[in-house]
Amino acid sequence: MQIFINQADISPVKFEEYEYIPLLNEENGCQAGCRTGLLMYTQLEYKQGGVHEDQEGFYVLEGTGKAIVGENEFLLSPGVCFIVPPGLYHAIKRDAECDFIKLFFFHAAV
């Protein structure tokens, strides 16, 4: 089993208003639902969000925007890191002043 990956070897998964680049998952050693990847959102509104049984963490790499986690909304910019506890709705959107907001994310069992 290969326990590493190079982003250059991965084809992005493109959706209407965001792009997903899967990095680490069960194919390269992650266990118990652990997985990581990159997300690039181009949406200006909270369109799709998520609710998971595990926890999800995010780290903003580029761009600016906002996130909503449960009833809390806060600003996103490079260097901001946040966690979404299990069972809470969360969504992300970019600011109009930038073309996208790029984040690293991870899922981890609780």
Side-chain angles (χ1 to χ4, degrees):
M1 171 186 347
Q2 182 173 308
I3 59 169
F4 65 92
I5 194 80
N6 186 321
Q7 180 184 344
D9 298 329
I10 302 169
S11 295
V13 179
K14 296 185 180 194
F15 297 93
E16 184 177 341
E17 297 202 52
Y18 74 99
E19 187 174 293
Y20 164 56
I21 300 172
L23 295 174
L24 298 175
N25 55 36
E26 57 279 340
E27 292 177 12
N28 40 26
C30 289
Q31 299 178 19
C34 173
R35 63 187 173 100
T36 68
L38 298 172
L39 294 166
M40 289 180 46
Y41 288 96
T42 57
Q43 63 197 33
L44 290 166
E45 300 175 9
Y46 295 126
K47 290 194 175 182
Q48 81 285 338
V51 177
H52 312 287
E53 293 181 14
D54 61 353
Q55 58 191 336
E56 186 173 15
F58 293 90
Y59 180 76
V60 181
L61 299 168
E62 296 178 47
T64 58
K66 291 183 180 179
I68 188 165
V69 177
E71 295 186 19
N72 296 307
E73 185 179 47
F74 48 93
L75 299 175
L76 299 177
S77 61
V80 172
C81 186
F82 64 99
I83 190 82
V84 179
L88 279 185
Y89 173 81
H90 57 285
I92 295 165
K93 64 181 181 178
R94 72 170 170 96
D95 285 337
E97 297 80 34
C98 62
D99 294 330
F100 61 86
I101 184 165
K102 183 177 185 178
L103 303 102
F104 173 81
F105 78 89
F106 67 90
H107 278 269
V110 285

